[in-house]
Structures are given as structure tokens and as C-alpha cells.
Amino acid sequence: MFDAVTKVTMEKIVSLCKRRGFIFPSSEIYGGLESCWDYGPLGVELKRNVKDAWWRAVVQQREDVVGIDASIMMHPQAWVASGHVEGFSDPMVDCKSCRMRWRATDLSGDKCPSCGGELTEPRMFNLMFKTFMGPLEDAASVVYLRPETAQGIFVNFDNIISTTRKKLPLGIAQMGKSFRNEITTGNFIFRTREFEQMEVEFFVKPGTDEEHFDYWVNERFNWFVNLGIKQSNLRRRQHRKNELAHYAKSCTDIEYLFPMGWSEIEGVANRADFDLTQHAKHSGKNLTYFDEESGERYIPYVIEPSSGVDRTVLSVIIDAYEEETVRGETRTVLHIKPELAPIKVAVLPLSRNEKLVPLARQMYGEVRRHFMTQYDDAQSIGRRYRRQDEIGTPYCVTIDFQSLEDEQVTIRERDSMTQVRVPIKELIITLQTKLPR
Ligand code: GAP
């Protein structure tokens, strides 16, 4: 019935996101703020659904992971211990002609990619955002906005072990905002200075770390497949020794095939005992773990699956986006997995005819109690179906004049565009079967 047509580009995704209220440039009425984005009514639903899917999979459905929500600002010594004050830097170069600024590691030659001008020598630039706590702006009141959520987990390791009385292997999960003063940003929400991460620090007995590492790489890869992302657009990429972060023994990225090429959406790292050793040294606290089974005391090793919420949202939208030709017309559709769709059901009266409206409003009230629902009565029914297709709504419920007589409504399915009539009495149960939680 239909063929997929045009290739997806980032411009099309940015345009759809803006047009339909997924994502807007931040402070747009002031001309925007570089690399900052605001999630609109549909974007915020999609993002919540992604985060809920992650939380369910890594915390609620497992007995060996617990969650926390630590503060964004932490004791400044934590960032000295973690190595971020000393080493969380990128080499930056400037073009002497056009003044463009680049991350040296992104360049292949020694001339400016923009104008061919001469570049300065690289200077190291620390990526942490600094601010001051309290009224005095002096060195003693400097605090950082966290550049990763991970450290909030490490500094709570002892609290979690002593309050949950769980045994290793044990994971601690956290999601939340992180901040990096990136030298270069871009590709929409792919690289920004304020973003959200979803991280697990999985503490294991030294010597068992490699098997846990392999397990988490596969587990996380499959999670993206379960989100509905095509497996052919996902791959694993092992880091070379010279790319490894200062704390990592090994690292494998999960990459997605974005319009700009294969790029990281998640990194799974073996952080060995780096972080707990450092925090023990700098805080003076004993962060060893007593293993009752073996009678040994040791500093656990850590496997860290760390992904970006925004990059996951972006890959979900890109992967679901399709322009199809249907009976000579183009329809844009997001084939997004129903679990992630911002709107699950749209209730559409055939027209604004006063005879139809009471039943349609009644249906809307009922369906809304169970699912995220939208009511739309503007323009022709065909246009309204297209609008819902474009935002990924899996089901539309249409109320027509026949409904007033036979007490049935039509359910129209997004992907196949098939329509079935169901008795109003059975509408909720039918939708519940189609939209499992
Ligand atoms: N705790 C380890 C860590 O933070 P990372 O590879 O630097 O590792 C993990 O970041 C994930 O966070 C990345 O895979 C990416 O999805 C996301 N992320 C990192 N920097 C980002 C940025 N500037 N903008 C958007 N997402 C970012």
C-alpha cells in the first residue's frame, strides 16, 4: 500500500520537532542560546517515557540494582578526587584568521576547516562549569555543576551498602542533568552543554569485572533494540587504548547511525577500583567492602553503563521517522514504539457537529483516564490522521454519526492504517490489549 521514500536528514528532524512541539530552541524570543534546547509538550512526554523505560529495566525489574537521586552540586573535593579538576579537559585551538574555535581532537589537518587559516597551539580547557555557593565569590566558595552523575553514586556507596544491606554484585543507578562546557556543540540535541544522563555504577568483586562488563554491553545493546531502534542502525565499538578516559580499564560504546554518521549513545566502561580508591584517599573514609562469602575485604571494581537521555531521544525519533507515499501523497510518520509515544490515543469526532460533540467529549474523558490522550476536532479527518501519524500516535478513535446509532467507534492504527469498528463498551479493554504497559 505504501513505500518508504525520502532519506531522513537532521534538518527534517529539527523542523518536525519545532513544528509539532517536541523541542524548541531555548530562549527563542531572545534569539536563542547556543546549544540549549527546551522540550515542549510532546518532547517532555517522549523523554519521560524513555527515562521510565530505562528506570524500569535497570532498577525496578532487577533485584541487584537500586536507585538514587543525588544533588547536582557536590563537595568540590569530590571533583579533585575523581580527577576532573586536574584532567577533565579538552585541547582547544583557535583559528588566527576567522577566530573559530575547535576541539583539536576533532581536526585531521593543521589548518582551520572553516577558512583554511593558521591555528594556534592547543591549550587545555577544563570542561566543568564553575559557580559560587553563597554570597561570596571567592576561591573558598567555588562549586561545580556535575559533569557526570556517576560521582554522586560513588560518594554514596557506603550509605547504600549500610542502609540496604545488599550484597555485591550490586548496582546503583541514577539519572539527571549533567553539565559540560563543551568547546564545540552541535547536531541538535546530540552534543549540548546541559544534558541528561542515565548511569549505573555496578560494583563487583575484582577478577569478575570482565564477565560483568561483557554482560552489561549486551544488556544495554538489547535495551536499545527493545526500545524499537533497528538493530542494523546500532553497533558496538571498542575503545582503543589511546581513547580511554583517565579512569577506564576498558570501554565499549554503543553507537547509533545518525544522519552525520555512527556516533556514541552510550558508553560501557570498566572503571576498575579507580573511583572508590580515590574517594577513600581524599575523604579519609574506608570504602572497602567486606565479602561475607569469601571472608575478604576489598575495594570493589565498577562496571559503568552510561547513556545520554537526549541522544537516546534523538535516536528514537530519527529511527522512527519515515516519509511514505500513500495513494500518491506523502505522509510523514513516526513509527515509534507505542510504549514511548507521547500520545497513545487521539479522540477525533468526525466533525464539530453538535450531535457528535457530547459523545466524543464523553469518550475523551473516559480514554484519558487510562492513556495519554489528545482531542482533536480541527480540519478534515484525513488531515487529523496525518497530524497524529507525524507525532507517532499509535491509535485514533473516531466518532461518527453511525456511532450515535450503533454505539460503535472506529479504531485506526497508525502503521497499517487499518480501521476496525468496536463497541463503545469494549473500547477501553480493546485499547488496553493493544497498548500493554
Ligand atoms: N560517567 C561516564 C560518562 O559520563 P561519557 O561517555 O562522557 O561517560 C556518557 O558520557 C553519555 O552521556 C554519552 O554516551 C552521551 O550519551 C551522554 N553525553 C555526554 N556528553 C554529552 C553532551 N555534551 N551532550 C549530550 N549528551 C552527552
Side-chain angles (χ1 to χ4, degrees):
M1 184 164 51
F2 46 75
D3 312 300
V5 277
T6 343
K7 200 167 160 277
V8 54
T9 61
M10 199 63 97
E11 290 69 35
K12 285 184 181 177
I13 298 297
V14 175
S15 156
L16 171 81
C17 286
K18 171 79 203 298
R19 198 169 65 244
R20 303 309 317 275
F22 280 92
I23 300 166
F24 308 118
S26 163
S27 328
E28 198 181 4
I29 58 168
Y30 290 100
L33 179 65
E34 195 212 330
S35 102
C36 294
W37 301 92
D38 297 342
Y39 285 78
L42 296 180
V44 74
E45 292 294 330
L46 172 57
K47 192 180 186 191
R48 283 177 70 114
N49 293 340
V50 165
K51 292 198 290 185
D52 285 351
W54 184 83
W55 195 257
R56 261 198 313 280
V58 307
V59 180
Q60 294 175 339
Q61 292 177 349
R62 301 184 64 104
E63 59 175 334
D64 56 358
V65 180
V66 294
I68 64 160
D69 185 9
S71 87
I72 286 175
M73 287 182 285
M74 296 174 57
H75 194 291
Q77 275 304 309
W79 302 109
V80 176
S82 68
H84 284 80
V85 169
E86 178 68 26
F88 193 54
S89 311
D90 271 349
M92 175 175 78
V93 292
D94 293 305
C95 173
K96 291 181 182 168
S97 310
C98 72
R99 307 259 165 248
M100 285 278 282
R101 187 153 275 180
W102 306 94
R103 203 159 62 150
T105 43
D106 288 344
L107 305 179
S108 47
D110 54 3
K111 294 278 171 215
C112 171
S114 176
C115 75
E118 196 186 333
L119 297 171
T120 59
E121 284 300 309
R123 285 168 295 151
M124 291 312 275
F125 173 75
N126 193 295
L127 302 183
M128 280 201 294
F129 274 97
K130 247 188 219 173
T131 188
F132 301 95
M133 189 168 254
L136 290 181
E137 297 198 359
D138 59 11
S141 48
V142 164
V143 287
Y144 302 98
L145 302 188
R146 65 182 179 200
E148 59 173 9
T149 69
Q151 298 304 324
I153 295 178
F154 295 125
V155 298
N156 275 296
F157 173 71
D158 198 40
N159 283 336
I160 306 292
I161 291 294
S162 55
T163 55
T164 61
R165 292 196 279 128
K166 291 222 176 225
K167 299 199 175 8
L168 262 50
L170 176 68
I172 306 176
Q174 167 161 234
M175 56 169 82
K177 292 261 177 165
S178 292
F179 303 83
R180 293 183 192 176
N181 204 357
E182 301 277 4
I183 297 168
T184 49
T185 55
N187 286 312
F188 194 26
I189 53 170
F190 179 83
R191 188 184 302 283
T192 52
R193 297 195 171 98
E194 172 180 343
F195 53 95
E196 262 185 278
Q197 290 187 306
M198 307 182 280
E199 303 198 291
V200 183
E201 307 303 323
F202 199 75
F203 299 90
V204 304
K205 185 176 179 185
T208 65
D209 47 308
E210 288 181 12
E211 72 199 63
H212 285 290
F213 177 82
D214 292 344
Y215 164 84
W216 276 104
V217 170
N218 288 331
E219 187 69 10
R220 298 299 306 143
F221 186 92
N222 292 337
W223 182 78
F224 287 104
V225 175
N226 280 333
L227 276 194
I229 297 179
K230 292 173 206 78
Q231 201 160 330
S232 54
N233 288 337
L234 290 166
R235 73 175 188 192
R236 300 164 177 81
R237 191 183 69 80
Q238 202 179 341
H239 278 213
R240 295 182 298 277
K241 281 270 172 275
N242 63 0
E243 310 177 67
L244 288 173
H246 62 276
Y247 50 74
K249 177 177 161 189
S250 59
C251 184
T252 293
D253 285 345
I254 299 172
E255 296 187 332
Y256 178 73
L257 185 54
F258 287 95
M260 71 278 188
W262 288 102
S263 308
E264 171 190 345
I265 47 176
E266 169 150 349
V268 183
N270 183 342
R271 294 179 79 124
D273 59 1
F274 176 83
D275 302 273
L276 289 182
T277 304
Q278 286 293 103
H279 285 301
K281 201 154 82 189
H282 286 256
S283 67
K285 293 276 182 300
N286 179 357
L287 297 178
T288 55
Y289 170 79
F290 180 67
D291 189 329
E292 285 170 20
E293 220 170 87
S294 65
E296 294 166 84
R297 188 169 271 288
Y298 51 77
I299 293 206
Y301 270 34
V302 175
I303 307 303
E304 177 196 63
S306 168
S307 64
V309 176
D310 313 86
R311 287 190 191 177
T312 306
V313 166
L314 184 59
S315 56
V316 163
I317 298 177
I318 291 172
D319 211 69
Y321 183 96
E322 220 157 62
E323 288 171 16
E324 298 169 347
T325 308
V326 184
R327 294 178 214 99
E329 274 186 36
T330 303
R331 82 158 180 157
T332 302
V333 55
L334 281 189
H335 293 290
I336 211 163
K337 193 175 178 185
E339 183 191 340
L340 298 184
I343 307 291
K344 315 289 182 204
V345 183
V347 173
L348 317 174
L350 189 65
S351 71
R352 285 180 176 164
N353 185 292
E354 61 185 24
K355 289 200 179 112
L356 287 180
V357 172
L359 180 60
R361 296 291 309 178
Q362 183 197 333
M363 295 283 77
Y364 175 44
E366 278 177 34
V367 178
R368 202 174 58 202
R369 282 177 34 226
H370 301 268
F371 309 100
M372 186 69 199
T373 308
Q374 206 171 64
Y375 185 85
D376 188 2
D377 61 3
Q379 301 180 309
S380 76
I381 192 74
R383 282 199 165 204
R384 280 180 276 159
Y385 283 151
R386 293 289 178 272
R387 272 209 292 275
Q388 295 299 332
D389 289 343
E390 206 179 30
I391 63 170
T393 307
Y395 296 103
C396 291
V397 172
T398 309
I399 292 98
D400 56 21
F401 290 101
Q402 181 98 24
S403 308
L404 302 172
E405 284 163 25
D406 65 5
E407 297 190 356
Q408 297 199 357
V409 289
T410 303
I411 300 181
R412 182 252 193 198
E413 205 262 330
R414 175 195 69 200
D415 295 342
S416 62
M417 295 186 285
T418 50
Q419 304 193 4
V420 287
R421 278 191 79 78
V422 295
I424 288 174
K425 284 203 298 294
E426 290 167 24
L427 178 62
I428 299 296
I429 188 86
T430 310
L431 289 171
Q432 277 168 340
T433 328
K434 290 173 182 292
L435 291 164
R437 302 214 153 205

